Each structure stands twice: as structure tokens, then as C-alpha cells.
Amino acid sequence: MTAFPSQADIVVIGGGVLGTSIAYHLAKAGAKDVVLLEKNELTHGSTWHAAGMVGQLRASRNLSRMLQSSVEIYETLEAETGLASGWRRTGSLRLVSNAERLLEAKRSNTIAKSVGLEADIISPEEVRNLFPIAETRDILGALYVPGDGVADPTSLTLSFAAGARKHGARIIQHAAVTGFERKDRRLTQVRTTQGNLTCRIVVNAAGVWAREIGKLMQVNLACCGLVHQYLITEPIEGINSSMPSVRDPDLSIYYKPETNGLVFGCWEPNTATFDAEPIPSAFGQELLPPAMDRFEPFIEAAMKRTPVLGKIGIRDFVTGPIPFSADGDFVMGPIPGLDNAFVASGCVVGIAAGGGIGKVMAEWILEGQPSLDLWPVDARRFGAHHGTKSYIYPRAIEVYGAHYRLQPPGYEHTSARGLRKSPLYPLLKQRGAIYGAKFGWERPNWFATRGETEDRPSFDRPNWFSTVAEEHHAVRNNAGILDLTSFAKYEIHGPGALGALQYLSVRNLDKPAGTVSYTQLCSKRGGIEADVSITRLSDDRFYYVTGTGNGTRDIEWIRANAPANARFTIEDVTSAWSVLLVTGPKAPDIVTAAIDTYESALNGRDLSHIVIGAASVRALPISFAGEAGWELHIPAEFACDVYERLMEAGKPFGLRNVGYRALDSLRIEKGYRYWGSDITPDCNPYEAGLGFCVDLDRDPFLSQAALRKIKAEGPSRRLSTFIAGSLGNAFGGEAVYANGEIIGATTSAAFAHSIGKTAVNAYVPAALVSSGTFEIESFGELSPLLRTTKRDLLKEI
């Protein structure tokens, strides 16, 4: 027997499909001394009983691309490793039962086109031809993706394991991780039941054990284990394994044809947790007691869709744990709080995603970033509160039960709400605020004026449409006030603070105290990693403000990429400061009227220290609405008093409460970009229209060489704003055509109330910016796009 190693370069924990795929891709990419540890045997836990459906289409274009790469990998894996993966291209059907589902299917279809994935909406008759046991009289059709398929979970995992070994990785089974040696932000040793080994990097791919492994690492991951159920039928005449998988979202059920039989499963509400209490140490390749009380209603639904189920027996009933997360998406990438640890878990579609996840995780580990922007699944999208029992289990159970639920734009979850509130919450609630949630914070989306008490989202006109229009016009014509307290806020200070931020920022920050700088932090490749404001408070102290959900990622990225010898401290002051944005043409008059003029005055260019009531306020001349305005950063205990004084001062000027939905409409009219959609690590400042922020001629900084090259050569594409004259709605992700061919997709969209039309942003080839004829496909319909010549749409009307 080979001796247990005392050291390794990279340790991968978990022998399921994700762990073996990561080990395989690391070793294939040339990583040396890769060791995979499995507590039982390969596939034990959740992989071995996975249903094995492989769908490629997701709401995010980059996630769809990642799942497309899974299929590409599965197509050639057997030839490389010598072991069959069980992959079969069978296609998939997503049934459409009503008009809203048809809109959803049309939207999905255009996303498929934008990533080059073949898909089509087919008729009920075509559904019957592909899946003859279906009752189709009550459906309108289905979204058909012929390139989807199925894979055998065990065969796929063993094939990845064989490939990992072939390229030099070691796989050690029956080695349960019992702890870690940790020094500051680094894991230096992995402790196991077979021995301990020192290492440079640790990858947590432990599936339903990932949360427990995280606790051993002294971090709280936002992934967990839930219980999933499906059954396998006796043989059904006319069924064979070459038929497509079927999802019926309105019934919350799915089918996967097997040899002569059928796998049938569901996404039931109020499923059970698996890891809320410690998992039994001996748990391996085993199942859980069935919960028929939760499953039976879905059997009844399935018998309506496939009546033959009422005439045949059940061969097997499978109840087992599956990985899940706080929002239902994967949890991948660097682990916040650690400098040398990664996670890949929370993946409810591990068989579909396993190949692509292994590929991008290997890139992330070896190159410092993946080849695709993966913000929707980045582990750093979560904060510490997301991993607490109070948040993760209620939210994960809700999201699990809503896995197939219709979720139009603006859909909000109801569980784990009210955990983080601005001091202004009760005041704004009394004034009609309809709240949404972001990063655990309650945030005012809009203010009801007609007796509404909740959101009613829609693919057409939601119930807030006209009210948001009124809020929008109030800001354009007079002024609005918006609670931005949820912004993530940090003070970065110390002797190395300036040097670190100068190295990461594209803009020169070595300016006098009081200077407010809008800037981007860019990678060595020139990709935009953060879009922020940085205010210099003194020689060695800076006030860093970023988006509500971006703080964890931003700060972890700063720590990972700052010069090694830079000495600075990052202090999270988010909860210390409330923020009120006062913006609009009357904003200067309102803020000036509210100031104690004997003590302070307002500066329209740099930081102002003003006094409102008894509060000393930092006034930053920034407005994402594109109007005159200030972000007023107020000590939290004074927020309510300052708000009341501003509202009183604003009465003669028509000051109105506004929410985030109006802000989205306001910003797109002014050409302002959102990080995470319009600008991402896949984009650089020059192609995004942010070249004005880049100060190339100064001391060396991280992205300087890449940005110099991009500027000299000229960007190959440009972010452009379009007006869709005849289009009612767009939400981002719609396919964009130039001269009749698809060139990409919209990055964001909103109804621009000042011009009464929908506006969209999209990257287009630079050569076509001035000469192309552009169209957008929204809900299956093509509409012309008018490219604007200025970022500010209001200057064109």
C-alpha cells in the first residue's frame, strides 16, 4: 500500500463529480502534485444518486457557456480516459402551459441564440412525437434544446478520476478531513484520518459536506445540503433512453427516460435539510427515509401529465441529499477570509455543470481568474450572514421549492427577510416604501401611492410601472431622495494605503485630501474588477464606497492583488454610516436649505463636511441618476433626523421619495454602467466608454501595460446604448443582431421614462458602431434599434 503523502501542492477535498473534474483539469493543465481526498469512496454522498440530466441553458449567458463547455468535454472524455462517461445527446423539453410561460420560453430561446445554442419553441404535436406518453391538450408547446442530454453520474465521475490519474494526480479514498492548520488567512496543513499533509492550496469540493469542511476552515460558507426525491418506474412500453428529458415547470416535475422506464422527480416546497445538524461520520453511499407526504401531490400531478404512471408500478424510490446554496446557484471561486482556499459546491445540477466547473476552477486556481466572468456564482457574492442558520436554511428551502416557479423580472423572495435594515426603514415604510432585498438589506424599490401593498412582477407592465415613472420625472424635473444605506463602505488606512490603491486603481488617487474619485479597479488583463468611488480623507486614509452586494468581492480582490509589501488596514464601516442620495435640478437648493449655514457650506466638486441638524455629514458630489446631487453619508444614529430635515427643506422644491427601480431608469438614460452586467472582468474601460477614468501616464499600476496596449490598438468592441423604438419591454440578455447576424446580447435594459421608450446597452464590434443596422430579439420578436451618438439619451431628444 502506498504511503500517505506528507505534502502536496494542491489538495482537492471531495470525490464527487466536481472534485474529480477539478483534479482532472488541474492535472491536465500541468499542475503538479495534485492530491484528491475522499472520505469514503468516489461518488459517495450525492453524486451516485443524481438524476443525471444535462441541460445547458441558464439565465446568465456565461453560465450557459460554462455548461456548453461541459457537453464539449463529455463528448471527448471517454476517448481520452478510456472509461465511458455515460453521456448521451438526447435533447430536452421544457413544457409551456400558459401565456406567461410562453413569454419565459421565448426569452430563454433568445438567450440560447445569443450564445450559439440551438433551441426552438415547438408545437404540442411535436412534443407528442418526441415524448409520446405526455398529455399535451393543455399545453401550448415546449422549448426544445436538441443538444442537451444525460450522463451516468458514476461513470462520469470515474472517467474524470481516470483522467486525473493519467495526468499525474493522486486520488486517496477513505481519508476523511478532520481539520486544518491555519495561520492568519492561510491554510497550511490538512488533517485527515490517514495522516496530515502540508499544502499550498486547498479546494473544498465536498458537496453536501462543504459547509462542514468550511467550518473546519473557520469560514461560514453559504452552501448546504437539502433532501431531494425521485422515483424510478417499472418498464413502460414505448419508452427508451434516447428520448428527451422533460421539465414541466408549472407542475414542478421532471422526467428522464431510462431503458424501458422513467425517472420522475419534483421540487417540492418545504423540503428537509440534510446538514443543519452534523452529518453522521459514517454516511456514504446510502439513502434517506422517503417522505411520501411531500411527494404524493406531485405523483398526482404527474399522472395528469403522463397518465400511464397510474397504471404501472414503482421500481425504486430515491430520497437523498443534494448540495444547494443560499440562492440556488453554484458557490465557486476563492473563499472569502482565506488567501489560498477555493470552493466549488452548492451545485444542484452537478452532472450538467461538472465538466465546465472543473475547467473554470482550474483556470481560477492556476491563472488567478477564470476565462469567463462568473459573478453570478462567485462565492464572494455572499456575506457572512448568508451562511448563518437563520438565513441559509429558510432561503435555500424557499428557492428549492421555487426551482421551476415563474420568476418575472423584479421577483423577490419572501424568506429570511428583514435581517438588515436601515435606520430609515420604519419611516419609509410609513411613507409607502415597497421593499426588496439585496445582500440581506431591505431596500426601497418604489413608493406606493395608490394603496398597493406588494410587488406584482410581470413580463409586461408590472404594478409599479406608472408609479416609478412618476418618481423618475420627479428627479428629472425637481428632486428625489433615496436611501442608499446598503452601500458597502470601507475605510482603508495605513502607511501603504495610498500605494495599494494607486496600484489597483486606473485613476490617479494621489490628490489632495477631500478629492472624490470615480474609478475602476482593473486586473492585469485590463478587466474591470470593481467600479467605485474613493474619497481621500487624509494622507493615509481613504473612504471606499461600492455596490451593496460587491463589498466582499472588492475587498478580497484588493487583498489578493495589492503589492505584497503594502501595509494597510481595511475597516468595514458599512453599518456606521447611513446614506441618503438627494438628486435632481433642485437638489442644490434643498441640501443648502437644510445645512446649518453657520457651520458649513456645500462643495459641488469635492467632499464637503456639512452639518444638518446635529449631524456631521460627509457630502459626496455623486449621483447615479445623472442629475446634480449628493450622497450624504450620515452617522447612522442621526439618519432619521437628517431625513426629516431634508424632507422639510424639500417641500417648496417638490422633493419626493424614490426607489431603486426609478434609479435604474434614470441611470440608463444618462449612459451610466452597472458593474456585473454592463461592466465586468470580461470588459475593459476603453470598450466600456470609461477611458476618461484611466490615467496611463503615472507610476506603474497593475493594469497599465494591458490598458496601454488596448488603447494603442483600439478596442475591438464598444458598449453602445440603443433606443428600441417599437419594443415594449427588455430586461437584459436579449439577442442583438447587426446586419442580420447575431453579434451578442444586451447587457442591461430599462424603460427610459423621460423619452417614453426602452433603452438597452450592448457591446457591438467597433467596426460596426457607426455603420451597422441593429435589431433586438425580445420574446421572439425582432425590433429595430436606434444607436445613440451620445451616452446621455436626453441630449438626443
Side-chain angles (χ1 to χ4, degrees):
M1 182 176 179
T2 305
F4 188 81
S6 61
Q7 63 180 31
D9 186 46
I10 302 173
V11 173
V12 180
I13 301 168
V17 66
L18 297 193
T20 54
S21 177
I22 293 167
Y24 161 76
H25 282 93
L26 283 168
K28 186 177 181 180
K32 305 299 182 185
D33 202 12
V34 175
V35 172
L36 184 149
L37 302 175
E38 163 54 42
K39 73 185 296 290
N40 290 304
E41 295 184 8
L42 298 182
T43 78
H44 286 195
S46 60
T47 293
W48 71 276
H49 61 74
M53 297 162 67
V54 179
Q56 300 170 80
L57 188 56
R58 306 284 289 189
S60 159
R61 296 178 73 237
N62 276 2
L63 294 191
S64 296
R65 288 181 175 127
M66 187 176 76
L67 269 66
Q68 284 177 282
S69 71
S70 282
V71 169
E72 293 168 3
I73 291 163
Y74 299 164
E75 295 277 9
T76 61
L77 189 63
E78 180 179 348
E80 180 182 345
T81 67
L83 288 182
S85 65
W87 158 251
R88 302 191 312 278
R89 191 183 291 265
T90 62
S92 73
L93 295 166
R94 189 178 182 92
L95 302 186
V96 174
S97 301
N98 53 60
E100 279 200 301
R101 285 290 182 188
L102 183 58
L103 289 175
E104 179 189 57
K106 288 178 176 179
R107 178 166 167 75
S108 296
N109 194 30
T110 189
I111 292 173
K113 290 179 182 179
S114 76
V115 296
L117 180 62
E118 183 183 357
D120 198 10
I121 296 175
I122 63 174
S123 68
E125 182 180 2
E126 291 171 299
V127 171
R128 280 196 306 275
N129 291 336
L130 290 166
F131 195 67
I133 66 171
E135 170 57 65
T136 59
R137 284 177 292 184
D138 63 337
I139 68 170
L140 302 178
L143 179 66
Y144 177 46
V145 183
D148 286 350
V150 297
D152 177 70
T154 296
S155 297
L156 181 62
T157 302
L158 295 180
S159 187
F160 275 132
R165 291 188 182 102
K166 176 182 176 181
H167 292 292
R170 292 188 59 184
I171 295 177
I172 303 173
Q173 300 181 81
H174 302 287
V177 173
T178 59
F180 298 89
E181 187 74 28
R182 176 171 171 167
K183 184 177 181 181
D184 298 325
R185 290 173 53 92
R186 298 188 66 84
L187 303 176
T188 59
Q189 186 181 77
V190 182
R191 298 170 182 159
T192 83
T193 51
Q194 287 196 32
N196 304 331
L197 65 165
T198 59
C199 59
R200 183 176 64 90
I201 289 173
V202 179
V203 184
N204 181 351
V208 292
W209 282 273
R211 180 174 166 83
E212 290 194 353
I213 295 296
K215 290 186 179 301
L216 295 176
M217 293 174 164
Q218 301 174 46
V219 296
N220 210 12
L221 296 174
C223 52
C224 63
L226 299 180
V227 176
H228 186 68
Q229 302 189 102
Y230 66 83
L231 60 79
I232 306 171
T233 71
E234 296 288 356
I236 302 174
E237 185 176 351
I239 289 290
N240 63 73
S241 60
S242 64
M243 289 180 173
S245 301
V246 178
R247 297 166 178 86
D248 190 334
D250 279 324
L251 297 181
S252 202
I253 60 178
Y254 64 83
Y255 304 92
K256 186 190 81 168
E258 298 267 299
T259 303
N260 301 323
L262 201 63
V263 168
F264 154 66
C266 67
W267 299 93
E268 74 264 33
N270 301 315
T271 190
T273 63
F274 176 67
D275 66 338
E277 301 300 330
I279 304 169
S281 59
F283 191 93
Q285 191 176 25
E286 55 192 278
L287 296 173
L288 303 169
M292 291 303 296
D293 58 323
R294 297 200 309 266
F295 199 80
E296 280 176 354
F298 297 94
I299 295 178
E300 294 176 11
M303 286 192 292
K304 294 177 183 178
R305 178 62 61 219
T306 49
V308 69
L309 287 187
K311 304 174 184 177
I312 59 170
I314 298 173
R315 194 183 81 208
D316 203 358
F317 197 92
V318 177
T319 303
I322 60 167
F324 215 75
S325 75
D327 62 6
D329 252 322
F330 321 149
V331 182
M332 297 169 51
I335 296 176
L338 291 168
D339 292 337
N340 67 330
F342 293 79
V343 62
S345 189
C347 187
V348 72
V349 291
I351 306 306
I357 285 178
K359 179 177 181 291
V360 298
M361 285 296 297
E363 294 169 348
W364 223 328
I365 294 163
L366 299 178
E367 301 171 27
Q369 65 183 98
S371 54
L372 296 170
D373 167 48
L374 295 174
W375 175 236
V377 295
D378 193 317
R380 296 167 295 180
R381 73 188 185 276
F382 294 122
H385 66 277
H386 288 106
T388 62
K389 283 188 175 183
S390 295
Y391 188 97
I392 191 167
Y393 291 113
R395 177 57 60 86
I397 289 169
E398 181 196 358
V399 173
Y400 174 96
H403 190 66
Y404 284 164
R405 185 176 298 165
L406 191 69
Q407 299 183 14
Y411 177 88
E412 295 276 357
H413 293 292
T414 58
S415 61
R417 292 291 298 270
L419 300 180
R420 306 181 80 181
K421 296 177 182 176
S422 159
L424 294 160
Y425 179 88
L427 274 178
L428 300 185
K429 192 76 171 173
Q430 290 173 8
R431 287 159 173 77
I434 304 296
Y435 276 88
K438 181 72 177 271
F439 206 67
W441 283 95
E442 295 294 314
R443 307 195 311 176
N445 280 336
W446 57 289
F447 285 79
T449 57
R450 299 172 178 85
E452 307 99 326
T453 58
E454 62 182 7
D455 280 341
R456 290 196 301 276
S458 170
F459 288 112
D460 191 17
R461 291 283 188 259
N463 67 320
W464 60 77
F465 185 83
S466 58
T467 303
V468 167
E470 293 168 3
E471 294 178 14
H472 176 113
H473 292 306
V475 172
R476 285 280 180 254
N477 298 318
N478 297 305
I481 186 168
L482 175 60
D483 183 5
L484 301 179
T485 297
S486 64
F487 275 3
K489 304 171 283 285
Y490 300 86
E491 290 200 7
I492 302 175
H493 54 89
L498 173 61
L501 291 173
Q502 278 282 78
Y503 181 68
L504 301 175
S505 167
V506 299
R507 176 160 267 170
N508 179 21
L509 302 178
D510 193 6
K511 301 290 181 65
T515 301
V516 181
S517 299
Y518 167 60
T519 186
Q520 294 77 47
L521 311 186
C522 289
S523 69
K524 191 173 183 179
R525 301 176 188 176
I528 299 173
E529 299 287 343
D531 184 63
V532 301
S533 71
I534 300 177
T535 301
R536 192 171 193 179
L537 300 177
S538 63
D539 285 352
D540 61 357
R541 183 174 289 267
F542 296 82
Y543 187 51
Y544 181 103
V545 182
T546 187
T548 299
N550 300 349
T552 301
R553 187 189 188 282
D554 284 15
I555 297 309
E556 290 293 320
W557 190 86
I558 288 171
R559 286 193 170 109
N561 291 277
N565 60 350
R567 291 188 296 119
F568 59 91
T569 299
I570 301 176
E571 183 181 354
D572 187 346
V573 296
T574 299
S575 298
W577 296 89
S578 289
V579 182
L580 285 169
L581 171 66
V582 182
T583 184
K586 306 291 180 60
D589 297 322
I590 294 167
V591 178
T592 298
I595 293 173
D596 184 335
T597 54
Y598 293 100
E599 297 190 36
S600 55
L602 191 64
N603 182 328
R605 188 179 64 254
D606 296 318
L607 170 68
S608 306
H609 293 282
I610 63 176
V611 175
I612 299 178
S616 178
V617 176
R618 292 174 179 173
L620 279 58
I622 298 172
S623 169
F624 202 50
E627 297 288 344
W630 284 266
E631 288 178 9
L632 303 177
H633 293 245
I634 309 155
E637 65 271 25
F638 291 105
C640 292
D641 180 67
V642 170
Y643 168 81
E644 296 282 25
R645 291 173 183 275
L646 288 165
M647 292 299 290
E648 184 65 27
K651 281 182 181 179
F653 303 102
L655 179 64
R656 175 170 177 156
N657 286 305
V658 300
Y660 274 86
R661 295 211 168 107
L663 189 62
D664 192 30
S665 173
L666 291 159
R667 69 92 193 172
I668 203 164
E669 290 182 346
K670 291 289 185 172
Y672 288 3
R673 281 75 165 113
Y674 265 145
W675 190 91
S677 56
D678 299 318
I679 49 177
T680 73
D682 290 345
C683 319
N684 65 69
Y686 291 109
E687 64 189 8
L690 297 171
F692 64 90
C693 291
V694 182
D695 294 325
L696 280 177
D697 299 323
R698 60 180 178 89
D699 292 343
F701 58 96
L702 179 63
S703 56
Q704 188 178 53
L707 294 180
R708 258 198 192 125
K709 186 172 186 291
I710 292 166
K711 183 180 181 181
E713 295 176 353
S716 61
R717 60 176 188 163
R718 292 189 182 277
L719 184 62
S720 299
T721 301
F722 297 89
I723 297 171
S726 62
L727 180 67
N729 292 303
F731 303 102
E734 295 84 7
V736 174
Y737 295 72
N739 303 331
E741 295 190 1
I742 292 177
I743 56 165
T746 59
T747 55
S748 68
F751 194 86
H753 288 283
S754 294
I755 61 176
K757 299 180 186 300
T758 295
V760 305
N761 288 333
Y763 283 93
V764 302
L768 298 178
V769 166
S770 58
S771 61
T773 299
F774 299 99
E775 295 175 295
I776 181 175
E777 181 178 333
S778 180
F779 299 108
E781 301 294 328
L782 282 175
S783 301
L785 288 175
L786 173 64
R787 193 188 69 80
T788 62
T789 57
K790 299 180 177 68
R791 282 181 54 172
D792 185 347
L793 301 186
L794 303 189
K795 293 180 179 178
E796 297 204 350
I797 61 172

